[in-house]
Amino acid sequence: MNIVVCVKYVPDATADRRFESDNTVDRVGVDGLLSELDEYAVEQALQLKEKAEDPTSVTVTALCVGPEKAVDAVRKALQMGADEGVHVSDEAIAGSDYIATSLVLAKAVEKIKADKGQVDLVMCGMASTDASGSVVPAMLAERLGLPQVTFASVIESQGDQVRIKRDGDTATEVIGGTMPLVMSVTDQTGEARYPSFKGIMAAKKKPMETLALSDIGVDAGEVGLSVAWSEVADTTERPPRTAGEIVKDEDGSGATALTGFLASKKFI
Amino acid sequence: MSEVLVLVDHVEGAVRKPTLELLALAKKLGTPSAVFIGGADQVSAATEKLAAFGAEKVYVIDDAEIKGYLVAPKAEALQQLAAKAEPAAILIVSSAEGKEIAGRLAIKLDSGLITDAVDLADDGTTTQSVFAGNFTVQAKVTKGTPIITVKPNSATPDETAGAGTVEEFAVTISDAAKTAQIVASQPRKASGRPELTEAAIVVSGGRGTGGNFEPIEGLADALGAAVGASRAAVDSGWMPHTFQVGQTGKTVSPQLYVANGISGAIQHRAGMQTSKTIVAVNKDEEAPIFELVDFGVVGDLHAVLPAATEQIEIGSSIAVAFARTPMTLANTAHDLQSLSGGRFVLGLGSQIRPHIENRYSMPWSHPARRMHEFVRALHAIWNTWEDGAPLEFDGEFYRHTL
Ligand SMILES: Cc1cc2nc3c(=O)[nH]c(=O)nc-3n(C[C@H](O)[C@H](O)[C@H](O)COP(=O)(O)OP(=O)(O)OC[C@H]3O[C@@H](n4cnc5c(N)ncnc54)[C@H](O)[C@@H]3O)c2cc1C
Ligand SMILES: Nc1ncnc2c1ncn2[C@@H]1O[C@H](COP(=O)(O)O)[C@@H](O)[C@H]1O
């Protein structure tokens, strides 16, 4: 069985995040890392491998589309236990929107499929922590013509049958599909493992492929900022919230102050 | 003017509020046409509502062939409708499912997609709030039919009626779209409180509640608010995941957000930072949540919230009738009346069954009849105190004879 896990390299949310002068996300000048939410996808892929009758027959490939530095995201996935890495990196990709990104990912999956004979599962995080669109998995399913079982909080599989639990907006659902399929997983699936020292050492020897757009059959003119399907006109940093009034509760004074504030704002 | 398609978000024909917001936004771009994918028996109720809020047309797509499958068939149906209607834009609610439909549709129509808009201008420029609410982005679709998903609470519904002309639209769903099956579906139980993403006020609790959400729920009910929770509270099993606010939960943007026993981690902020007014109660004055607040109380939520709740219930003079007996309430009201020099107005609310039975441990039945009798009992008691006549009230639910 072949599992491809899509891992994105994102700016660190706890550090500085900003835009470039052309209004694209600055991915190079800031600290970046493997999107936290994609660690859950890597974890679930590894668990599927470990639960398989013959774990050695399962290959987990980490796939990332992003600038040169984004190789760190693939490396982290390898350290956690993924078997192989594929990094699609090309100047032309910079500034791509969802439509172009999903195209590059889909073409890369097809390349992996051609190389390995088949891809049974494409796994994604529930959202990237920078764009947080939660759309790429559905778009990948659309492009690859595969079933989409997304927002999984619990995963069960038996042979090529997959069942997941999905917390929808108005109902909790069980979604079923037959492999090959695209799956996205939520942070409800359980904590992701930390790379062990052994894992970190082993990762250095794992196969790692860097691909350009031409390697996966995408024309440079199909992607990137210049052909984006939408245009960002302006980005502005939200002014920091002005410091509010903080009171200490002493013998019930806090409740009175609180209701006083709520009344002054006409909430009560 | 061109049509603007609005995909209707509904539960069994009950149109949800975010759809009404989309209709208001659609009017800025063209003529709103609602797209209702549902059962034949649900059409009339839905159409009435959609027309009342400005839908000129309501396309009805029968969901018999669609409803057993996830997302893909709806995208296909919209694609077929878009080919016919040639809309100026397609608006969809920014729910998990809404965004997935939008994503697939964008590829089918080779059109630009903007997700999570919080505003929409007449020329189609959208406003988004990104990086945990730290940046505001203005963007516009430049190719194809703009597909825009809009967050709940981004606009005010506009109750200016439209014609609401119903037009049946037949779709052909491919087998390829029927591959992710909805094997089982368990509708969420109604909490009796406002919907988290739609509420004007949200009161949330975190690890600091220690698992006791009563003070949170009490304040929420006094304010008519929705209840939210941090991931720590959800992970501890104190609240279901659907209550979670934050990066991997719901994003809320209410008029007022009250965070209690929540430290204010970046992932939590991502879900509430754009709230208009933010209030926090936390016993640690160093808690990062205080950097965000308009008003903060450094204190124990278990003391501050119940006291505040009581003040609000009396201040707004809506007392939970069934949590008390007519006699205890008559007493309190009488005292407040003399203390306030005759300016006290007593309001009574029934609250909801779970609260009366589980929170106050009092009986609940026939709320209308019971309330009627409650009021008669109050009058009987006060009359006795006024004229000294013996009290003889013997009702179906209450008895006061001494
Ligand atoms: C990938 C990822 C996604 C995440 N997504 C989310 C998300 O969507 N939503 C979310 O909320 N978190 C999310 N988190 C978790 C987040 O990082 C924090 O761990 C979480 O928000 C902490 O919850 P808390 O504030 O309730 O708990 P804590 O950080 O433990 O804070 C508890 C607070 O309560 C105060 N307190 C304690 N007792 C009292 C008392 N008696 N009265 C008043 N105050 C008291 C303490 O001073 C403290 O400030 C995510 C984390 C990751 C890694
Ligand atoms: N550039 C990328 N490289 C690899 N995977 C990606 C990329 N962008 C998105 N993904 C995958 O798609 C998921 C959802 O992303 P998004 O739609 O941007 O929120 C992520 O969690 C990843 O698994």
Side-chain angles (χ1 to χ4, degrees):
Chain A
M1 180 158 91
N2 284 309
I3 304 177
V4 173
V5 193
C6 300
V7 293
K8 190 176 181 185
Y9 179 77
V10 298
D12 186 351
T14 57
D16 198 19
R17 292 196 284 188
R18 55 175 183 251
F19 288 91
E20 303 256 31
S21 55
D22 65 356
N23 287 324
T24 58
V25 176
D26 185 349
R27 298 190 183 280
V28 178
V30 298
D31 291 336
L33 75 184
L34 164 61
S35 177
E36 232 168 4
L37 293 172
D38 293 347
E39 289 183 19
Y40 296 90
V42 175
E43 175 63 35
Q44 290 308 309
L46 296 175
Q47 287 191 20
L48 284 172
K49 177 181 166 106
E50 287 156 2
K51 272 187 265 176
E53 227 161 89
D54 174 16
T56 56
S57 71
V58 179
T59 307
V60 176
T61 306
L63 166 64
C64 177
V65 173
E68 221 169 292
K69 278 173 74 174
V71 71
D72 285 356
V74 183
R75 206 166 280 143
K76 173 87 183 273
L78 294 179
Q79 290 171 351
M80 288 173 71
D83 302 297
E84 298 177 14
V86 174
H87 177 203
V88 184
S89 192
D90 201 305
E91 296 264 299
I93 297 172
S96 288
D97 56 10
Y98 294 129
I99 301 195
T101 303
S102 64
L103 173 71
V104 177
L105 280 168
K107 291 288 190 174
V109 170
E110 273 161 12
K111 164 90 166 71
I112 296 170
K113 189 171 150 191
D115 290 349
K116 295 198 191 314
Q118 67 164 11
V119 169
D120 303 277
L121 253 180
V122 179
M123 298 186 67
C124 292
M126 65 182 280
S128 53
T129 57
D130 54 350
S132 52
S134 296
V135 291
V136 166
M139 290 172 124
L140 262 178
E142 176 74 30
R143 288 193 183 277
L144 295 168
L146 296 180
Q148 140 191 6
V149 295
T150 45
F151 288 95
S153 57
V154 179
I155 302 163
E156 276 169 31
S157 73
Q158 199 166 57
D160 62 356
Q161 295 302 306
V162 176
R163 284 244 196 297
I164 62 141
K165 192 173 139 206
R166 168 175 165 121
D167 271 329
D169 228 19
T170 56
T172 298
E173 295 166 326
V174 177
I175 311 293
T178 307
M179 287 192 221
L181 51 77
V182 176
M183 181 191 292
S184 77
V185 307
T186 74
D187 59 337
Q188 297 282 301
T189 47
E191 282 310 305
R193 67 193 66 187
Y194 289 103
S196 64
F197 180 69
K198 219 174 107 203
I200 293 170
M201 296 314 286
K204 294 183 174 155
K205 295 190 207 80
K206 289 180 176 170
M208 169 85 192
E209 198 174 7
T210 308
L211 301 173
L213 284 179
S214 55
D215 299 320
I216 56 172
V218 176
D219 190 83
E222 291 178 83
V223 299
L225 182 61
S226 57
V227 301
W229 279 252
S230 52
E231 181 182 82
V232 175
D234 190 32
T235 55
T236 33
E237 189 158 5
R238 212 183 152 84
R241 293 188 84 105
T242 40
E245 187 191 349
I246 314 271
V247 301
K248 266 208 171 86
D249 177 44
E250 271 152 27
D251 301 326
S253 66
T256 310
L258 175 57
T259 51
F261 173 81
L262 295 177
S264 75
K265 295 282 181 189
K266 307 235 180 317
F267 287 117
I268 52 177
Chain B
M1 256 203 308
S2 320
E3 286 179 58
V4 176
L5 299 184
V6 170
L7 178 62
V8 178
D9 181 15
H10 68 98
V11 180
E12 307 283 335
V15 178
R16 301 177 74 207
K17 184 163 159 266
T19 299
L20 309 179
E21 297 164 9
L22 291 191
L23 287 173
L25 290 172
K27 288 178 194 168
K28 293 188 181 183
L29 306 178
T31 315
S33 294
V35 184
F36 181 80
I37 304 180
D41 55 330
Q42 302 162 355
V43 174
S44 62
T47 305
E48 196 180 315
K49 186 93 176 196
L50 295 165
F53 285 85
E56 290 298 332
K57 224 185 252 181
V58 179
Y59 289 107
V60 172
I61 298 173
D62 190 81
D63 73 348
E65 222 195 322
I66 290 175
K67 68 178 172 206
Y69 305 94
L70 193 66
V71 178
K74 289 189 180 164
E76 223 170 74
L78 278 176
Q79 174 190 23
Q80 289 165 24
L81 181 58
K84 177 190 166 260
E86 296 183 354
I90 302 172
L91 306 185
I92 301 176
V93 176
S94 254
S95 58
E97 179 180 328
K99 293 205 281 186
E100 293 186 324
I101 294 169
R104 299 186 80 120
L105 187 60
I107 289 179
K108 286 177 189 293
L109 298 177
D110 192 24
S111 290
L113 164 69
I114 288 176
T115 56
D116 297 325
V118 294
D119 197 12
L120 192 55
D122 297 356
D123 69 346
T125 300
T126 60
T127 306
Q128 291 161 289
S129 175
V130 305
F131 289 168
N134 283 335
F135 277 82
T136 304
V137 169
Q138 310 276 334
K140 201 173 166 177
V141 168
T142 47
K143 279 190 200 170
T145 309
I147 301 168
I148 300 165
T149 76
V150 183
K151 288 204 161 182
N153 253 349
S154 298
T156 314
D158 170 13
E159 210 168 350
T160 314
T165 315
V166 173
E167 201 174 310
E168 309 267 342
F169 185 75
V171 294
T172 331
I173 304 301
S174 70
D175 286 343
K178 296 191 215 162
T179 51
Q181 228 181 327
I182 301 174
V183 180
S185 178
Q186 176 126 53
R188 194 138 302 125
K189 270 195 296 227
S191 67
R193 298 198 180 92
E195 190 81 29
L196 185 51
T197 49
E198 298 170 9
I201 303 179
V202 174
V203 179
S204 281
R207 202 192 308 273
T209 60
N212 176 7
F213 260 67
E214 262 178 41
I216 310 294
E217 292 172 337
L219 180 62
D221 290 338
L223 293 171
V227 170
S230 73
R231 189 172 104 168
V234 170
D235 284 354
S236 305
W238 302 335
M239 291 301 272
H241 180 241
T242 43
F243 286 74
Q244 185 177 315
V245 172
Q247 185 186 53
T248 55
K250 302 266 160 51
T251 313
V252 300
S253 198
Q255 297 299 320
L256 171 67
Y257 187 86
V258 189
N260 306 288
I262 292 177
S263 60
I266 176 102
Q267 294 91 348
H268 189 78
R269 289 178 179 210
M272 47 66 76
Q273 186 140 262
T274 57
S275 305
K276 309 291 173 297
T277 301
I278 299 176
V279 169
V281 178
N282 195 304
K283 68 178 185 190
D284 173 13
E285 61 184 313
E286 304 285 323
I289 190 81
F290 284 127
E291 293 162 16
L292 293 184
V293 301
D294 298 286
F295 189 81
V297 179
V298 180
D300 186 342
L301 71 90
H302 297 289
V304 175
L305 298 190
T309 304
E310 196 156 305
Q311 289 179 19
I312 293 166
E313 279 174 352
I314 289 173
S316 68
S317 48
I318 297 290
V320 181
F322 302 157
R324 303 163 167 89
T325 68
M327 183 56 81
T328 51
L329 193 61
N331 243 317
T332 313
H334 194 265
D335 288 351
L336 286 167
Q337 176 73 338
S338 32
L339 282 172
S340 65
R343 281 178 296 113
F344 182 70
V345 181
L346 175 65
L348 294 177
S350 69
Q351 249 291 359
I352 53 173
R353 180 178 207 134
H355 275 257
I356 298 303
E357 291 185 342
N358 303 333
R359 183 161 166 233
Y360 296 111
S361 185
M362 294 289 282
W364 171 281
S365 67
H366 311 93
R369 229 156 76 211
R370 184 183 278 270
M371 183 63 84
H372 190 73
E373 186 178 313
F374 199 105
V375 174
R376 281 199 297 120
L378 283 175
H379 281 296
I381 295 165
W382 288 328
N383 283 343
T384 305
W385 292 346
E386 291 278 295
D387 57 23
L391 180 59
E392 268 176 54
F393 187 86
D394 195 1
E396 183 184 353
F397 308 102
Y398 302 104
R399 223 180 91 135
H400 301 282
T401 53
L402 200 68

